[in-house]
Amino acid sequence: MQAIRFEKVGFSYQAEQDELFSDSATFSLDGLDFSVEEGEFVAVLGHNGSGKSTLARLTNGLLSPNSGKITVLGLDATDEKNLFEIRKQVGIVFQNPDNQTVASIVEDDIAFGPENIGVEREEIGRRIEFALGAVGMSEYRHSTTSRLSGGQKQRIAIAGVLALKPKIMILDESTAMLDPRGRKEVMDVVLRLNREEKITVLLITHFPEEALLADRAVVMNHGKIVLSGKPSEVLAEEETLKKCSLTLPRPLQICRKLQSNGVAVEDCFDADALASALAPMLQNTATENTSEQVENITETGEIGSVYCENLSYTYNPSSPFATHALNGVDLQIHAGDFFGIIGHTGSGKSTFVQHLNALIKLPTAEKKYKPKKRKKNAVETNTKLQVNGLDLTQKTTDFKLLRKKVGMVFQYPEYQLFAETVFEDVAFGLKNFNENLTEEEIESAVKEAIERVGLNYEEVKNRSPFELSGGQKRRVAIAGVIVTKPEILVLDEPAAGLDPLGKEEIMSLLHTMHQSWCKTVIIVSHDMDEIAENCNRAVVFSGGKVLVQATPKRLFEKDEWTKQAGLDLPFTAKVMRALKGHGVRMDGDLTVEKFVEDLLKNIKTSGAGTSLEQGGQSNA
Amino acid sequence: MREVSFGQYYPSQSFVHRCDPRTKILFLIAYIVSVFLCKNFYSLGMCALVFLIVASCSGVPFKSLLRSVKAVLFLLVFTAILNLFFHSGETVLFSWKFIKITKEAVYFTIFFAVRLFLLVLSSAILTLTTTPVALTDGIESLLKPLKYIRFPVHELALIMSIALRFIPILTDETGRIMNAQKARGADFETGGLMKRVKAIIPILIPLLISAFRRADELGDAMDARCYSGSKVRTKYKKLKFTWRDLLSALFLGILIAGIVLFRIYTVSLI
């Protein structure tokens, strides 16, 4: 039997209904035909606003179609009488883990679903046990939901749905807000549920890597299905994907680049496959370079630089909830760096970043601080923190100037927009920092900032920031920070939650700024590929300490640091590691572009380049 | 940070912690009534003794208890001063120009202060030893009879527990938004009243929008998990009375009997 069946479904949003919150004001499905077999694992891919989330909401009656027929497990989903039964059978896990938890205690939250359908007390207990076991969170039964990590919260949300014993599970971008570790946790659970519990899974995502795990992948664009088939085939359709604002999975990007240069490799989807395909063509080029390149840190006081020595910070000191967020951080960021800060949630990176523009002030810089107490707390006295040439350990420092010169873009910055017009919102920071500006000066600065983030000034200046699309909102929020022309720009997860193309655009925007006027860009990221692709130097935080700081190349050369911090390697580094297993050592660059160049150079010089010539001829 | 700032639950496994929340709520109500019934220092002393016994059984350090008084300290001092100066009496202890302090006023001030002190501290014991969730459950259970007059008890309890659940999330969010606006040069600490009120707008609007968005999403998530009101609903957690509750009830009985006796006794004296 078919689990889900859409026949010629038409649907359109009433633009006014959702204006304030939806990312795309108008949007429609038109004559959509789509079906999912029972037990199947289908991934639906599409950029933000392609209609993929509407698909999920239509399936369990949160939305109802204007025309056409939707059948779920043989029940007509457009008939309101069936809704209760359908919702019992179709569980949805949404994007934001915080907004789908009802209770403060894990087991109470999981009990919510079964309670709603009138399950007996003892049976609810059994279901909680089953659901928690299925997502591997049994030991968290009595925990507080708000204290869990993102991945754990999302697994609890899955358990909450599982407790209803559904036949179909829909994941509506459930991994979009998670870090890579959380994403993996969730995907492992989903895969197991599909394989072992035979639950039909509809996975809505914009990560091509996740779609690879499915039995079938479907690509949506403008409310229509444009591709459908085996994930490995669908995800190889470069042209169509590009049209839908999607990108090839990273391994495939490398394969395609090699292929277009005449190297005969087949399409690969993981590092090991790529390595074993490449290994015979490559030769050892790198010598064992284990010369430990420990960077010495030196104080320069230069504009655009950060120097930090022995920085510690404790939340809620002298209370039972005291947590040591930073334990003696030594760190240096040079002027001109595109610097990456990596580490897990709770590793101290966010706390560190907040020190950079004195959102957290050192105790010695507080107004109340009296030097007399110094003897009591001898540790703070040898802390050094210098940002953009300003000494942050002194209370005489001009902190307003600091904040003006050190721009800070927080995670999901679009959530801090507040003004009636885009112009007013962008001008907010500017007016705060410079009280005596004339109207013309303000206008020209705002115009410049809005144009710098790639938006049309005349088009957006008088619009409400809330009517813009998600990607545009983020740009406006960034414009609101760069309007003061900071020398150092700090961004916490600038690309989080964006679709692949949106990510690329934001990163290239940052590079343009970095090259033209912003001395130093610092990004905090969970995405190792993003770090490898963009940064010239990076630091790994773990347990409130700096594990290592170096160029990405040195950092990811060995996996000891990333392993210690519980992080992944970027894909290119994984390939090189796998190559090492095949007896090929190479010292390639970590960005996809340069990595391919290095590979090509290596293939040319090695004798095994026959395949190259053949390939080259056929290509020409 | 969030746990300390709100709910002030102090985790422990003490006798008081393990009592049924309903017992604690009823105990507190009865205790407050008793404190108000006190007419002299004997009965008030007895209430204070009961408080000390309960406090020592609660496993909460006295320091944390006293911290809860801090919030009402101003009120305490303010009313004490008013009482001291304006309570009428006969035996004048001290007088200067129009200020006159009488023996009765001193007596009354102390009595009143102790009473307020006990009220605040005893309420603090409830919130310190009961998780917000247990508290909501207790209130829901106690209000159950109101169902017969169509009072939406279940809905009220659900609203309360959701509100409690979102407090840490919205607290965090407020902190985040404040930081973001501070990074854009917003100043919340200096300036006059009007300036400060105005400075709140860039925090309030994003917070409201986010709260609405969250409510919207939560509504969908609840719908998707078959929430349809209270008709067919069962309840997983049931509150159970134990010997601890019986013991507490006995103890409470003795207190009330004592206070009533003291009242009769003092009345007969006069």
Side-chain angles (χ1 to χ4, degrees):
Chain A
M1 190 170 63
Q2 275 174 336
I4 303 171
R5 190 182 170 82
F6 277 53
E7 284 166 278
K8 298 201 174 50
V9 171
F11 176 80
S12 67
Y13 263 120
Q14 284 98 7
E16 77 273 21
Q17 178 195 341
D18 236 15
E19 204 174 15
L20 202 56
F21 310 113
S22 75
D23 281 350
S24 52
T26 51
F27 158 82
S28 65
L29 290 184
D30 187 24
L32 184 74
D33 287 308
F34 171 70
S35 66
V36 179
E37 296 297 321
E38 236 176 294
E40 205 181 7
F41 181 171
V42 178
V44 180
L45 279 161
H47 62 87
N48 291 341
S50 62
K52 55 193 197 311
S53 289
T54 311
L55 205 67
R57 279 151 201 263
L58 283 169
T59 306
N60 83 341
L62 286 173
L63 294 172
S64 60
N66 302 111
S67 62
K69 201 176 163 202
I70 301 170
T71 326
V72 178
L73 297 163
L75 296 166
D76 181 3
T78 48
D79 187 351
E80 245 180 72
K81 270 181 273 168
N82 290 334
L83 280 189
F84 195 71
E85 193 52 38
I86 287 175
R87 285 180 185 164
K88 257 205 253 183
Q89 304 291 352
V90 183
I92 301 193
V93 181
F94 293 91
Q95 191 187 71
N96 191 333
D98 282 331
N99 297 352
Q100 46 188 322
T101 318
V102 187
S104 312
I105 305 288
V106 168
E107 65 169 354
D108 294 344
D109 186 66
I110 296 170
F112 180 73
E115 283 176 346
N116 286 336
I117 57 168
V119 176
E120 287 306 313
R121 241 177 66 85
E122 289 72 30
E123 173 63 14
I124 295 179
R126 279 194 290 277
R127 286 194 182 191
I128 293 174
E129 216 163 285
F130 154 76
L132 280 176
V135 298
M137 299 263 309
S138 297
E139 67 269 42
Y140 291 93
R141 186 166 177 159
H142 302 285
S143 305
T144 311
T145 44
S146 57
R147 288 212 143 189
L148 301 175
S149 73
Q152 288 173 329
K153 281 182 195 165
Q154 216 51 321
R155 274 149 76 197
I156 293 303
I158 293 178
V161 164
L162 272 183
L164 284 160
K165 301 246 171 170
K167 291 214 173 75
I168 303 170
M169 183 171 288
I170 303 177
L171 294 114
D172 187 3
E173 295 192 36
S174 312
T175 55
M177 294 179 86
L178 304 180
D179 58 17
R181 189 198 268 176
R183 251 187 346 243
K184 194 175 175 317
E185 282 171 23
V186 169
M187 287 312 294
D188 285 348
V189 166
V190 170
L191 220 67
R192 204 175 57 238
L193 290 175
N194 178 251
R195 302 281 138 82
E196 287 169 22
E197 306 287 333
K198 307 281 175 240
I199 292 175
T200 310
V201 174
L202 187 63
L203 174 79
I204 293 165
T205 180
H206 48 228
F207 295 111
E209 289 80 6
E210 286 175 3
L212 278 173
L213 301 168
D215 301 325
R216 185 154 64 96
V218 170
V219 176
M220 279 190 81
N221 196 22
H222 299 302
K224 285 201 176 66
I225 288 174
V226 286
L227 282 173
S228 171
K230 265 179 76 175
S232 56
E233 286 162 13
V234 166
L235 288 168
E237 297 279 340
E238 194 173 358
E239 285 306 307
T240 326
L241 287 178
K242 217 175 232 168
K243 266 183 218 147
C244 306
S245 309
L246 294 169
T247 51
L248 289 178
R250 203 163 286 258
L252 215 53
Q253 284 175 20
I254 295 175
C255 290
R256 286 296 154 88
K257 285 211 170 87
L258 289 170
Q259 284 162 5
S260 69
N261 278 295
V263 179
V265 282
E266 286 191 0
D267 287 353
C268 302
F269 289 96
D270 63 74
D272 289 329
L274 185 61
S276 45
L278 287 173
M281 305 179 207
L282 296 169
Q283 62 181 5
N284 263 329
T285 50
T287 45
E288 188 76 38
N289 71 22
T290 44
S291 54
E292 287 290 315
Q293 292 213 346
V294 178
E295 291 186 24
N296 290 316
I297 56 172
T298 42
E299 206 171 337
T300 59
E302 209 180 331
I303 295 293
S305 73
V306 174
Y307 176 78
C308 163
E309 205 180 296
N310 196 21
L311 180 66
S312 295
Y313 187 77
T314 308
Y315 284 102
N316 307 315
S318 68
S319 92
F321 304 99
T323 36
H324 299 283
L326 297 176
N327 293 314
V329 168
D330 298 330
L331 178 64
Q332 182 173 32
I333 301 170
H334 303 294
D337 272 350
F338 200 113
F339 196 80
I341 297 180
I342 48 188
H344 261 293
T345 320
S347 60
K349 58 186 174 13
S350 300
T351 312
F352 172 73
V353 163
Q354 287 183 44
H355 276 92
L356 293 183
N357 71 348
L359 286 174
I360 298 176
K361 276 188 192 172
L362 288 170
T364 49
E366 291 288 354
K367 276 187 198 137
K368 288 182 229 158
Y369 178 75
K370 292 193 185 77
K372 273 183 225 158
K373 287 185 184 166
R374 200 171 272 203
K375 273 171 204 149
K376 224 169 144 190
N377 244 339
V379 192
E380 349 177 308
T381 52
N382 49 30
T383 295
K384 280 185 186 160
L385 181 61
Q386 214 177 56
V387 179
N388 207 32
L390 294 167
D391 184 358
L392 302 199
T393 56
Q394 299 301 320
K395 56 178 161 185
T396 47
T397 306
D398 185 350
F399 286 103
K400 202 163 182 182
L401 180 72
L402 174 81
R403 288 196 183 150
K404 185 175 162 185
K405 289 298 167 195
V406 182
M408 179 88 71
V409 180
F410 285 88
Q411 234 180 79
Y412 298 98
E414 54 274 25
Y415 291 164
Q416 47 181 279
L417 298 175
F418 71 96
E420 277 172 54
T421 64
V422 168
F423 182 90
E424 282 302 314
D425 211 297
V426 174
F428 177 68
L430 189 71
K431 286 182 190 163
N432 283 334
F433 285 121
N434 314 286
E435 273 157 16
N436 306 318
L437 284 183
T438 62
E439 292 290 318
E440 289 80 47
E441 282 170 319
I442 291 175
E443 188 171 340
S444 77
V446 171
K447 184 166 184 240
E448 203 183 336
I450 290 178
E451 279 167 358
R452 266 184 187 146
V453 295
L455 293 174
N456 186 325
Y457 173 70
E458 292 300 328
E459 227 171 68
V460 298
K461 68 170 179 181
N462 290 323
R463 288 180 67 187
S464 158
F466 303 110
E467 334 175 321
L468 304 175
S469 79
Q472 286 175 321
K473 276 186 202 161
R474 183 159 303 182
R475 282 158 190 259
V476 171
I478 293 176
V481 174
I482 62 167
V483 70
T484 56
K485 293 193 190 148
E487 319 253 12
I488 300 177
L489 187 61
V490 188
L491 303 103
D492 191 353
E493 295 274 338
L498 295 178
D499 52 25
L501 204 73
K503 266 182 198 178
E504 263 176 33
E505 283 171 2
I506 288 286
M507 291 321 289
S508 79
L509 200 75
L510 293 181
H511 278 293
T512 320
M513 288 180 203
H514 185 230
Q515 277 148 20
S516 54
W517 54 273
C518 183
K519 277 213 174 63
T520 310
V521 174
I522 302 170
I523 60 170
V524 178
S525 181
H526 289 300
D527 185 344
M528 298 305 122
D529 287 312
E530 200 171 281
I531 297 286
E533 201 65 40
N534 298 296
C535 299
N536 69 327
R537 285 177 69 242
V539 62
V540 180
F541 270 81
S542 179
K545 277 196 177 117
V546 167
L547 215 53
V548 57
Q549 63 170 328
T551 61
K553 206 164 160 178
R554 291 285 156 266
L555 201 94
F556 295 122
E557 194 171 44
K558 288 176 272 169
D559 60 354
E560 61 174 296
W561 291 306
T562 41
K563 221 177 220 167
Q564 201 178 332
L567 298 164
D568 209 7
L569 284 175
F571 179 75
T572 42
K574 273 189 205 158
V575 175
M576 282 190 270
R577 225 168 63 95
L579 280 172
K580 223 189 246 176
H582 288 280
V584 180
R585 263 175 223 290
M586 67 174 278
D587 186 26
D589 198 272
L590 289 176
T591 63
V592 168
E593 199 87 18
K594 293 235 178 83
F595 180 63
V596 171
E597 276 171 31
D598 288 340
L599 279 176
L600 288 172
K601 251 184 251 159
N602 188 315
I603 292 171
K604 262 181 205 149
T605 51
S606 72
T610 42
S611 57
L612 175 71
E613 276 147 35
Q614 284 165 2
Q617 279 159 9
S618 63
N619 222 16
Chain B
M1 180 177 72
R2 353 173 162 150
E3 271 78 2
V4 180
S5 60
F6 178 75
Q8 13 159 296
Y9 177 69
Y10 187 91
S12 165
Q13 283 292 320
S14 77
F15 180 87
V16 181
H17 277 81
R18 287 159 78 179
C19 277
D20 190 290
R22 288 171 296 180
T23 313
K24 284 188 263 187
I25 295 170
L26 290 176
F27 195 111
L28 180 67
I29 293 171
Y31 184 78
I32 289 173
V33 173
S34 317
V35 170
F36 273 109
L37 283 178
C38 292
K39 278 283 181 228
N40 55 25
F41 273 111
Y42 299 112
S43 47
L44 198 64
M46 197 165 145
C47 284
L49 186 70
V50 168
F51 166 76
L52 286 176
I53 294 170
V54 174
S56 57
C57 289
S58 72
V60 180
F62 217 71
K63 233 175 156 184
S64 322
L65 260 176
L66 284 178
R67 211 172 296 154
S68 59
V69 186
K70 242 189 192 166
V72 290
L73 200 65
F74 172 74
L75 187 74
L76 213 74
V77 173
F78 186 70
T79 49
I81 290 172
L82 281 186
N83 280 329
L84 196 61
F85 291 130
F86 297 109
H87 194 77
S88 55
E90 281 153 18
T91 341
V92 178
L93 293 176
F94 172 83
S95 104
W96 178 70
K97 285 185 185 168
F98 60 90
I99 296 173
K100 192 171 72 179
I101 294 175
T102 62
K103 194 179 165 192
E104 285 80 3
V106 172
Y107 175 88
F108 188 77
T109 303
I110 296 172
F111 188 82
F112 200 86
V114 171
R115 190 143 93 177
L116 203 62
F117 216 66
L118 285 180
L119 290 180
V120 174
L121 285 175
S122 57
S123 314
I125 286 202
L126 179 71
T127 52
L128 279 164
T129 61
T130 320
T131 59
V133 184
L135 211 55
T136 346
D137 281 349
I139 292 171
E140 184 184 4
S141 173
L142 287 172
L143 291 181
K144 228 184 229 157
L146 290 180
K147 256 189 199 160
Y148 297 106
I149 56 162
R150 303 213 171 172
F151 185 80
V153 176
H154 160 74
E155 281 79 4
L156 190 76
L158 190 69
I159 290 169
M160 268 166 64
S161 70
I162 289 176
L164 284 173
R165 137 129 191 81
F166 274 89
I167 283 172
I169 292 177
L170 290 178
T171 315
D172 276 6
E173 181 132 38
T174 314
R176 262 202 303 276
I177 295 172
M178 259 179 99
N179 270 344
Q181 309 297 29
K182 259 195 214 162
R184 290 210 277 166
D187 185 357
F188 307 116
E189 279 134 31
T190 57
L193 187 67
M194 268 319 281
K195 203 186 157 205
R196 282 195 200 198
V197 170
K198 250 180 147 178
I200 294 176
I201 293 173
I203 303 173
L204 214 55
I205 290 177
L207 196 64
L208 270 176
I209 288 176
S210 138
F212 278 123
R213 195 188 54 244
R214 285 178 192 281
D216 212 37
E217 286 181 33
L218 184 73
D220 273 354
M222 284 169 67
D223 264 346
R225 280 163 79 182
C226 301
Y227 182 70
S228 60
S230 54
K231 272 172 215 150
V232 289
R233 245 182 152 254
T234 46
K235 212 149 166 41
Y236 170 58
K237 274 210 174 139
K238 270 209 180 117
L239 298 171
K240 259 196 205 143
F241 286 116
T242 59
W243 59 271
R244 289 188 190 84
D245 302 292
L246 192 69
L247 202 65
S248 311
L250 270 172
F251 187 55
L252 187 67
I254 295 169
L255 168 75
I256 291 174
I259 288 181
V260 170
L261 274 178
F262 267 121
R263 244 177 112 82
I264 297 167
Y265 174 63
T266 45
V267 165
S268 65
L269 260 186
I270 299 164

mmCIF file of all heavy atoms in Angstrom, chain A residues 210-224:
data_model
loop_
_atom_site.group_PDB
_atom_site.id
_atom_site.type_symbol
_atom_site.label_atom_id
_atom_site.label_comp_id
_atom_site.label_asym_id
_atom_site.label_seq_id
_atom_site.Cartn_x
_atom_site.Cartn_y
_atom_site.Cartn_z
ATOM 1 N N GLU A 210 22.576 14.306 3.458
ATOM 2 C CA GLU A 210 21.561 13.520 4.160
ATOM 3 C C GLU A 210 20.680 12.766 3.182
ATOM 4 O O GLU A 210 20.243 11.648 3.454
ATOM 5 C CB GLU A 210 20.700 14.439 5.031
ATOM 6 C CG GLU A 210 21.437 14.899 6.263
ATOM 7 C CD GLU A 210 20.643 15.903 7.075
ATOM 8 O OE1 GLU A 210 19.493 16.217 6.716
ATOM 9 O OE2 GLU A 210 21.201 16.387 8.067
ATOM 10 N N ALA A 211 20.427 13.392 2.049
ATOM 11 C CA ALA A 211 19.563 12.757 1.057
ATOM 12 C C ALA A 211 20.186 11.470 0.531
ATOM 13 O O ALA A 211 19.491 10.557 0.111
ATOM 14 C CB ALA A 211 19.302 13.722 -0.091
ATOM 15 N N LEU A 212 21.516 11.400 0.592
ATOM 16 C CA LEU A 212 22.205 10.201 0.102
ATOM 17 C C LEU A 212 21.820 8.946 0.877
ATOM 18 O O LEU A 212 21.916 7.841 0.370
ATOM 19 C CB LEU A 212 23.726 10.397 0.215
ATOM 20 C CG LEU A 212 24.383 11.176 -0.908
ATOM 21 C CD1 LEU A 212 25.827 11.438 -0.571
ATOM 22 C CD2 LEU A 212 24.255 10.420 -2.217
ATOM 23 N N LEU A 213 21.389 9.123 2.118
ATOM 24 C CA LEU A 213 21.061 7.970 2.944
ATOM 25 C C LEU A 213 19.706 7.372 2.585
ATOM 26 O O LEU A 213 19.366 6.277 3.008
ATOM 27 C CB LEU A 213 21.055 8.380 4.425
ATOM 28 C CG LEU A 213 22.357 8.960 4.963
ATOM 29 C CD1 LEU A 213 22.123 9.584 6.329
ATOM 30 C CD2 LEU A 213 23.414 7.871 5.062
ATOM 31 N N ALA A 214 18.911 8.111 1.813
ATOM 32 C CA ALA A 214 17.542 7.682 1.544
ATOM 33 C C ALA A 214 17.470 6.641 0.430
ATOM 34 O O ALA A 214 18.433 6.414 -0.290
ATOM 35 C CB ALA A 214 16.701 8.897 1.172
ATOM 36 N N ASP A 215 16.268 5.998 0.325
ATOM 37 C CA ASP A 215 16.051 5.071 -0.783
ATOM 38 C C ASP A 215 15.792 5.846 -2.065
ATOM 39 O O ASP A 215 16.126 5.428 -3.152
ATOM 40 C CB ASP A 215 14.817 4.201 -0.515
ATOM 41 C CG ASP A 215 14.960 3.394 0.758
ATOM 42 O OD1 ASP A 215 16.089 2.974 1.052
ATOM 43 O OD2 ASP A 215 13.949 3.196 1.461
ATOM 44 N N ARG A 216 15.139 7.000 -1.881
ATOM 45 C CA ARG A 216 14.766 7.791 -3.052
ATOM 46 C C ARG A 216 14.904 9.265 -2.699
ATOM 47 O O ARG A 216 14.652 9.653 -1.560
ATOM 48 C CB ARG A 216 13.313 7.485 -3.424
ATOM 49 C CG ARG A 216 12.824 8.151 -4.683
ATOM 50 C CD ARG A 216 11.680 7.341 -5.302
ATOM 51 N NE ARG A 216 10.530 7.318 -4.397
ATOM 52 C CZ ARG A 216 9.503 8.167 -4.500
ATOM 53 N NH1 ARG A 216 9.499 9.105 -5.425
ATOM 54 N NH2 ARG A 216 8.480 8.074 -3.695
ATOM 55 N N ALA A 217 15.327 10.045 -3.662
ATOM 56 C CA ALA A 217 15.432 11.488 -3.438
ATOM 57 C C ALA A 217 14.542 12.218 -4.425
ATOM 58 O O ALA A 217 14.419 11.805 -5.579
ATOM 59 C CB ALA A 217 16.880 11.949 -3.599
ATOM 60 N N VAL A 218 13.897 13.256 -3.933
ATOM 61 C CA VAL A 218 12.995 14.048 -4.754
ATOM 62 C C VAL A 218 13.460 15.490 -4.637
ATOM 63 O O VAL A 218 13.741 15.955 -3.541
ATOM 64 C CB VAL A 218 11.550 13.914 -4.222
ATOM 65 C CG1 VAL A 218 10.632 14.915 -4.892
ATOM 66 C CG2 VAL A 218 11.049 12.496 -4.395
ATOM 67 N N VAL A 219 13.595 16.187 -5.755
ATOM 68 C CA VAL A 219 13.997 17.595 -5.695
ATOM 69 C C VAL A 219 12.813 18.467 -6.069
ATOM 70 O O VAL A 219 12.147 18.230 -7.079
ATOM 71 C CB VAL A 219 15.173 17.885 -6.653
ATOM 72 C CG1 VAL A 219 15.504 19.367 -6.649
ATOM 73 C CG2 VAL A 219 16.384 17.064 -6.247
ATOM 74 N N MET A 220 12.524 19.443 -5.214
ATOM 75 C CA MET A 220 11.406 20.347 -5.477
ATOM 76 C C MET A 220 11.913 21.737 -5.797
ATOM 77 O O MET A 220 12.916 22.190 -5.265
ATOM 78 C CB MET A 220 10.504 20.431 -4.253
ATOM 79 C CG MET A 220 9.551 19.271 -4.136
ATOM 80 S SD MET A 220 8.340 19.580 -2.863
ATOM 81 C CE MET A 220 7.182 20.613 -3.742
ATOM 82 N N ASN A 221 11.192 22.398 -6.679
ATOM 83 C CA ASN A 221 11.519 23.782 -7.010
ATOM 84 C C ASN A 221 10.221 24.489 -7.374
ATOM 85 O O ASN A 221 9.450 23.992 -8.177
ATOM 86 C CB ASN A 221 12.510 23.816 -8.180
ATOM 87 C CG ASN A 221 13.161 25.171 -8.306
ATOM 88 O OD1 ASN A 221 13.200 25.931 -7.340
ATOM 89 N ND2 ASN A 221 13.634 25.475 -9.492
ATOM 90 N N HIS A 222 9.968 25.640 -6.802
ATOM 91 C CA HIS A 222 8.763 26.412 -7.063
ATOM 92 C C HIS A 222 7.503 25.557 -7.018
ATOM 93 O O HIS A 222 6.670 25.604 -7.925
ATOM 94 C CB HIS A 222 8.865 27.123 -8.411
ATOM 95 C CG HIS A 222 10.009 28.076 -8.467
ATOM 96 N ND1 HIS A 222 10.139 29.116 -7.564
ATOM 97 C CD2 HIS A 222 11.097 28.122 -9.259
ATOM 98 C CE1 HIS A 222 11.248 29.763 -7.836
ATOM 99 N NE2 HIS A 222 11.864 29.183 -8.846
ATOM 100 N N GLY A 223 7.376 24.728 -5.998
ATOM 101 C CA GLY A 223 6.154 23.947 -5.826
ATOM 102 C C GLY A 223 5.998 22.792 -6.784
ATOM 103 O O GLY A 223 4.928 22.215 -6.885
ATOM 104 N N LYS A 224 7.044 22.481 -7.502
ATOM 105 C CA LYS A 224 6.957 21.341 -8.433
ATOM 106 C C LYS A 224 8.081 20.368 -8.163
ATOM 107 O O LYS A 224 9.148 20.754 -7.679
ATOM 108 C CB LYS A 224 7.100 21.842 -9.874
ATOM 109 C CG LYS A 224 5.885 22.532 -10.410
ATOM 110 C CD LYS A 224 5.933 22.524 -11.938
ATOM 111 C CE LYS A 224 4.677 23.131 -12.523
ATOM 112 N NZ LYS A 224 4.542 24.553 -12.232
#
